[in-house]
């Protein structure tokens, strides 16, 4: 079977990520049989309560990637205003092109075919450092982050330690 | 699936330059790559906002979003213009890439002895290194084995052939004939060349009127008179080529789908020789994709054949076009197959391909055709009981075995799919009708369309065999059963 556009582009990205890995990020397809299903590891950014943690996540790509964005889901517990309790990540770069019907996001922040896995993961890293509480995915986390920052940080640190088995 | 192990290693990437002394070529290579597919530009097109993408990439982007993916400026497909200088640059770069990379990866010449240096050092080193690399990879990935070397050889030959093609004179329709420097002038009407003072008389008396007429006249003259030894051989060549019918393929216009009724859209599709199966939404998507593929192909310097484009569309249909259940693959496959499209074999093949598809939804399939499976199982049981009775007269033992089998099967009522193949009598060469396979009994490639918008009775409905209707759907099974019962059954083995 010849490989289609999405698969070829993902191979290209995988090649690029292995040859020139960005700091704090590892990503690749889980198995040879399904290039549309990746797993990645993100380091918690320094200077944030997530520091020291390593967060596994899965990326699922649609058949018409890169015209449509993948979805990203943390596999462990991530207490964050922009991460649903299920682990699903909610940031503008992962939202399909076009204008947000709720006008929270500008079209310029949303997915475009020129984006890549690397850019998604870098955006997620910066999201961990700077949550966007305008359209929270986890209301409890957003409220706590806004109103009781120290409690939020303590809770995140505890869960990071727990995830490392400390 | 070997895709990953073979291709992942062979996909060239701009990061290949990292770690070589020519790491500065990485941004150069990146500049030759499309921002959308990250591959080298294929038929690069310039947008109104002066960004460049592959023709196919930007056409797809615009059909999704009508915006430039880089700056999000609104744009239209019709405003795209070819970036030919970049096309040439990319071609030149990709041709020399391998050699430069080999050169960059070879150890510095200082390490080599002078004799080696005289013996074209870079090439030798490069091949040595390649060999070493391949061995290395082979130990790491045992699956790579011989296939990869074969494909590599095939790639090499393909590349060589490609190069040979490139060196043959190109049939560029935009080629402008340079006036030969022969001291003559061209007639302003028919472009025939002659001495300046002859022109007036020529126009008054012998001018044929149009350049084509003159050309054919000249051609005839060339054919009659022996070729002049060497002066303008290439000129004659070009003439010969220009007279061949060489219409560049015309771009297809986009359709305003909201203005088209289902039947009209189906008509458009069948005019284009495409499948008319599927939901309204799929029909639109298919038409759109075909236009994208077709128009992008028009931009290419080496346009593909129509059959290749149809294959691309088929590929698209299997993956992007129909992510849910691949139940409409048959449609397109049949169109490509031509006349065989309507036969039960083609339908069975299509259904077979569908079942083999990775994303095949077995549960939905079982639900959808559960009734007809049930009917078939009943009939099969009846047949077997009758067989058991017949066989009992001949040999008691085989009858017993069969009874056991039937009993075992009755216990397993809930798994019709499992039962079906086992109830089928094996190994009879006499029957002209093939034993029914799951492919034969399944309905044709497009199942009852529940998702149809609007109560459209498509023309393909008549060709469909509705599952569960006994007179049509099961007739084959019955005949084959009857035929099988007439000859005495020899036993199971």
């Amino acid at each position: 079977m010849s490989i289609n556009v999405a698969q070829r582009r993902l191979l290209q990205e995988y090649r690029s990520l292995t040859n020139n890995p960005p700091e704090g990020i590892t990503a690749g397809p889980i198995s040879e049989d399904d290039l549309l299903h990746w797993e990645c590891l993100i380091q918690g950014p320094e200077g944030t309560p997530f520091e020291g943690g390593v967060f596994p996540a899965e990326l699922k790509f649609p058949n018409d990637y890169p015209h449509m964005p993948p979805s990203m889901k943390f596999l462990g517990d991530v207490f964050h205003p922009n991460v649903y309790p299920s682990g699903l990540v909610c940031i503008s770069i992962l939202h399909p092109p076009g204008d947000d019907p709720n006008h929270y996001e500008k079209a310029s922040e949303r997915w475009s075919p020129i984006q890549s896995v690397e850019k998604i993961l870098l955006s997620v890293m910066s999201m961990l450092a700077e949550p966007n509480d305008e359209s929270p995915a986890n209301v409890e986390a957003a409220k706590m982050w806004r109103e009781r920052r120290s409690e939020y940080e303590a809770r995140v640190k505890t869960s990071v330690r727990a995830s490392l088995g400390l | 699936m070997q895709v990953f192990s073979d291709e992942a290693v062979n996909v060239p990437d701009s990061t290949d330059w990292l770690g070589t002394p020519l790491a500065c070529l990485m941004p150069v290579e990146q500049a030759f790559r499309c921002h959308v597919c990250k591959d080298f530009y294929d038929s690069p097109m310039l947008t109104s906002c002066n960004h460049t993408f592959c023709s196919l990439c930007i056409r797809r982007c615009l059909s999704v979003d009508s915006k430039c993916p880089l700056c999000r400026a609104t744009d239209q497909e019709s405003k795209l213009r070819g970036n030919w200088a970049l096309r040439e640059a990319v071609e030149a770069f990709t041709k020399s890439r391998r050699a430069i990379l080999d050169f960059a990866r070879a150890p510095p010449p200082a390490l080599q002895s002078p004799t080696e240096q005289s013996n074209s050092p870079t090439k030798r080193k490069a091949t040595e290194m390649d060999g070493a690399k391949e061995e290395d990879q082979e130990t790491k990935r045992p699956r790579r084995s011989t296939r990869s070397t074969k494909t590599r050889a095939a790639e090499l030959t393909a590349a060589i052939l490609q190069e040979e093609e490139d060196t043959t004179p190109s049939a560029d329709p935009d080629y402008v004939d340079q006036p030969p420097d022969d001291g003559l002038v061209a007639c302003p009407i028919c472009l025939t060349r002659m001495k300046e003072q002859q022109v007036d008389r020529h126009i008054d008396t012998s001018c044929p009127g149009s350049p084509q007429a003159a050309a054919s006249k000249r051609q005839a003259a060339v054919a009659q008179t022996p070729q002049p030894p060497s002066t303008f051989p290439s000129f004659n060549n070009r003439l010969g080529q220009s007279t061949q019918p060489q219409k560049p393929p015309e771009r297809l216009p986009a359709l305003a789908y909201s203005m088209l009724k289902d039947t009209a859209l189906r008509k458009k599709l069948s005019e284009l020789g495409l499948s008319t199966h599927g939901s309204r939404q799929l029909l639109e998507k298919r038409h759109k994709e075909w236009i994208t593929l077709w128009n992008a192909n028009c931009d290419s310097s080496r346009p593909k054949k129509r059959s290749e484009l149809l294959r691309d569309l088929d590929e698209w249909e299997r993956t992007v076009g129909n992510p849910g259940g691949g139940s409409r693959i048959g449609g397109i496959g049949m169109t490509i197959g031509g006349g065989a499209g309507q036969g039960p074999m083609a339908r069975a093949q299509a259904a077979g391909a569908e079942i083999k598809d990775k994303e095949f939804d077995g549960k939905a399939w079982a639900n959808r055709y559960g009734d007809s499976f049930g009917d078939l199982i009943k009939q099969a049981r009846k047949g077997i009981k009758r067989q058991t009775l017949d066989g009992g007269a001949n040999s008691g033992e085989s009858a017993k075995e069969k009874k056991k089998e039937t009993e075992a099967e009755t216990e397993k009522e809930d798994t019709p799919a499992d039962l079906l193949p086992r109830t089928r009598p094996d190994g009879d060469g006499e029957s002209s009708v093939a034993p029914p396979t799951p492919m034969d009994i399944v309905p044709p490639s497009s199942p009852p369309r529940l998702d149809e918008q609007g109560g459209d009775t498509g023309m393909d409905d008549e060709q469909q065999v509705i599952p569960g209707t006994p007179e049509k759907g099961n007739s084959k099974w019955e005949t084959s059963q009857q035929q099988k019962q007439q000859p005495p059954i020899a036993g199971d083995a």
Side-chain angles (χ1 to χ4, degrees):
Chain A
M1 191 188 100
S2 66
I3 58 170
N4 64 22
V5 181
Q7 288 170 325
R8 186 163 174 93
R9 153 102 192 226
L10 285 166
L11 273 179
Q12 198 93 53
E13 288 196 50
Y14 178 53
R15 188 82 208 277
S16 171
L17 279 168
T18 37
N19 280 355
N20 189 20
E23 210 179 315
I25 288 168
T26 320
I30 294 173
S31 101
E32 302 184 356
D33 297 330
D34 190 2
L35 288 171
L36 300 179
H37 194 180
W38 284 34
E39 196 166 43
C40 57
L41 290 172
I42 300 178
Q43 275 180 22
E46 284 174 24
T48 73
F50 293 96
E51 184 175 349
V54 176
F55 304 95
E58 65 171 8
L59 285 164
K60 281 188 176 165
F61 298 89
N63 276 314
D64 48 358
Y65 182 79
H67 297 282
M68 285 295 160
S71 69
M72 182 175 173
K73 193 175 166 184
F74 279 112
L75 298 172
D77 177 36
V78 176
F79 188 69
H80 188 280
N82 303 114
V83 179
Y84 284 101
S86 66
L88 202 66
V89 180
C90 175
I91 49 170
S92 52
I93 193 179
L94 290 179
H95 295 159
D99 279 309
D100 179 14
N102 301 322
H103 301 292
Y104 281 120
E105 297 157 1
K106 288 175 214 149
S108 60
E109 292 167 352
R110 294 166 77 93
W111 176 259
S112 152
I114 60 157
Q115 305 293 2
S116 60
V117 174
E118 186 183 339
K119 286 193 187 139
I120 292 171
L121 297 183
L122 290 173
S123 302
V124 168
M125 269 179 106
S126 77
M127 172 205 84
L128 288 178
E130 293 167 32
N132 168 10
D133 66 338
E134 268 182 21
S135 57
N138 184 340
V139 181
E140 188 199 347
K143 240 179 141 185
M144 201 189 273
W145 181 79
R146 208 180 312 166
E147 291 160 11
R148 291 163 284 152
R149 186 68 58 90
S150 55
E151 195 182 327
Y152 166 81
E153 286 179 357
R155 171 153 180 188
V156 169
K157 274 181 191 160
T158 328
S159 77
V160 166
R161 280 188 181 193
S163 74
L164 294 172
L166 296 173
Chain B
M1 197 160 106
Q2 283 273 319
V3 168
F4 189 65
S5 16
D6 274 0
E7 300 272 340
V9 195
N10 294 337
V11 167
D13 190 74
S14 56
T15 50
D16 289 343
W17 300 102
L18 294 175
T20 73
L22 294 180
C24 55
L25 276 182
M26 184 172 100
V28 177
E29 181 166 332
Q30 270 168 353
F32 287 133
R33 285 175 177 271
C34 169
H35 290 277
V36 172
C37 64
K38 313 280 181 199
D39 212 333
F40 286 111
Y41 283 115
D42 178 16
S43 322
M45 300 299 276
L46 206 56
T47 62
S48 311
C49 45
N50 289 333
H51 291 121
T52 301
F53 305 93
C54 300
S55 178
L56 196 56
C57 293
I58 185 63
R59 285 175 190 278
R60 284 226 173 88
C61 288
L62 292 178
S63 79
V64 171
D65 199 20
S66 306
K67 286 192 182 108
C68 166
L70 269 168
C71 67
R72 312 218 187 218
T74 313
D75 207 353
Q76 292 167 352
E77 273 194 55
S78 56
K79 292 191 178 157
L80 297 172
R81 291 288 173 267
N83 191 340
W84 290 1
L86 183 60
R87 182 166 85 192
E88 279 166 30
V90 168
E91 241 166 66
F93 182 81
T94 47
K95 258 184 211 159
S96 53
R97 184 182 190 275
R98 180 84 225 174
I100 307 173
L101 196 60
D102 286 345
F103 178 78
R105 280 173 176 170
L111 297 177
Q112 293 163 10
S113 67
T115 44
E116 265 182 333
Q117 266 183 351
S118 63
N119 194 8
S120 84
T122 49
K123 247 192 185 163
R124 263 201 63 187
K125 281 283 160 188
T127 38
E128 273 171 24
M129 269 192 58
D130 262 9
K133 215 176 96 194
E134 231 160 62
E135 271 171 33
D136 194 15
Q137 281 163 354
E138 226 141 83
T139 46
K140 266 190 222 157
R141 296 178 182 275
R143 284 172 70 195
R144 257 172 68 86
S145 68
T146 48
R147 213 196 116 189
S148 68
T149 43
K150 259 188 216 159
T151 47
R152 189 162 285 197
E155 270 168 26
L156 259 175
T157 31
I160 292 164
L161 284 174
Q162 186 67 57
E163 249 170 34
E164 277 171 7
E165 262 178 38
D166 288 343
T167 48
T168 56
S170 73
D172 194 341
D174 297 294
Y175 180 84
V176 181
D177 265 346
Q178 293 291 322
D181 188 18
D182 51 5
L184 303 177
V185 296
C187 160
I189 298 165
C190 70
L191 303 180
T192 313
R193 303 188 70 77
M194 62 198 69
K195 282 185 191 151
E196 202 172 346
Q197 57 268 35
Q198 289 177 330
V199 172
D200 281 343
R201 230 192 113 186
H202 161 78
I203 292 173
D204 289 342
T205 56
S206 63
C207 179
S210 74
Q212 281 85 9
S216 62
K217 213 172 148 192
R218 244 182 303 170
Q219 273 256 297
V222 166
Q224 279 169 6
T225 56
Q227 295 258 337
S230 70
T231 16
F232 306 123
S234 61
F235 181 69
N236 285 334
N237 257 349
R238 263 176 234 135
L239 254 180
Q241 274 174 0
S242 65
T243 46
Q244 278 164 17
Q246 224 193 47
K247 257 196 296 177
E250 273 178 42
R251 290 185 178 76
L252 295 168
L255 289 182
Y257 297 111
S258 54
M259 307 282 283
L260 278 178
K261 287 195 174 149
D262 279 14
T263 40
L265 181 55
R266 284 220 168 79
K267 205 177 151 213
K268 289 269 181 201
L269 281 165
S270 61
E271 275 169 9
L272 293 169
L274 305 177
S275 162
T276 54
H277 286 268
S279 67
R280 166 80 193 198
Q281 204 191 356
L282 184 66
L283 294 180
E284 283 180 15
K285 274 163 92 184
R286 184 184 295 137
H287 188 265
K288 210 180 202 180
E289 176 69 14
W290 177 252
I291 288 186
T292 306
L293 286 170
W294 181 271
N295 289 349
N297 194 46
C298 293
D299 297 328
S300 175
S301 54
R302 294 189 195 91
K304 292 181 184 175
K305 283 186 202 135
R306 196 186 131 81
S307 56
E308 287 173 89
L309 288 181
L310 278 170
R311 223 174 297 141
D312 288 349
L313 185 68
D314 194 28
E315 175 77 34
W316 168 88
E317 188 112 3
R318 251 179 290 142
T319 52
V320 187
N322 207 5
S327 54
R328 272 131 195 159
I329 321 153
I332 294 239
M334 275 152 53
T335 324
I336 295 172
Q342 310 307 326
M345 271 316 287
R347 253 186 262 146
Q349 273 170 5
E354 185 184 346
I355 290 169
K356 281 178 211 149
D357 190 32
K358 217 171 68 182
E359 289 170 2
F360 174 66
D361 187 352
K363 266 191 185 168
W365 183 271
N367 281 340
R368 209 183 295 157
Y369 303 121
D371 286 356
S372 46
F373 281 152
D375 284 350
L376 287 164
I377 289 161
K378 266 183 210 160
Q379 281 180 10
R381 285 220 181 90
K382 266 187 218 160
I384 280 197
K385 267 177 199 159
R386 256 179 281 162
Q387 277 177 12
T388 325
L389 292 176
D390 289 352
N394 291 340
S395 71
E397 287 219 346
S398 65
K400 262 186 201 168
E401 274 173 32
K402 273 181 186 165
K403 255 186 193 165
K404 267 186 202 164
E405 225 174 78
T406 344
E407 276 162 21
E409 279 158 16
T410 13
E411 284 167 18
K412 284 194 175 181
E413 271 212 289
D414 291 331
T415 54
D418 278 348
L419 274 174
L420 212 49
R422 286 204 287 134
T423 52
R424 174 170 90 213
D426 291 318
D428 67 322
E430 290 164 60
S431 164
S432 61
V433 181
T437 63
M439 293 174 201
D440 279 330
I441 53 138
V442 296
S445 54
S446 47
R449 294 189 305 272
L450 302 169
D451 47 346
E452 192 79 63
Q453 289 176 0
D456 163 64
T457 54
M459 44 194 180
D460 45 322
D461 279 358
E462 292 154 20
Q463 296 152 8
Q464 284 185 11
V465 181
I466 286 123
T469 43
E471 66 276 13
K472 254 191 167 179
N474 300 330
S475 59
K476 209 172 189 184
W477 173 249
E478 274 169 359
T479 40
S480 76
Q481 282 295 303
Q482 280 158 10
Q483 284 188 357
K484 266 166 219 155
Q485 274 157 33
Q486 278 148 15
I489 279 57
D492 269 349

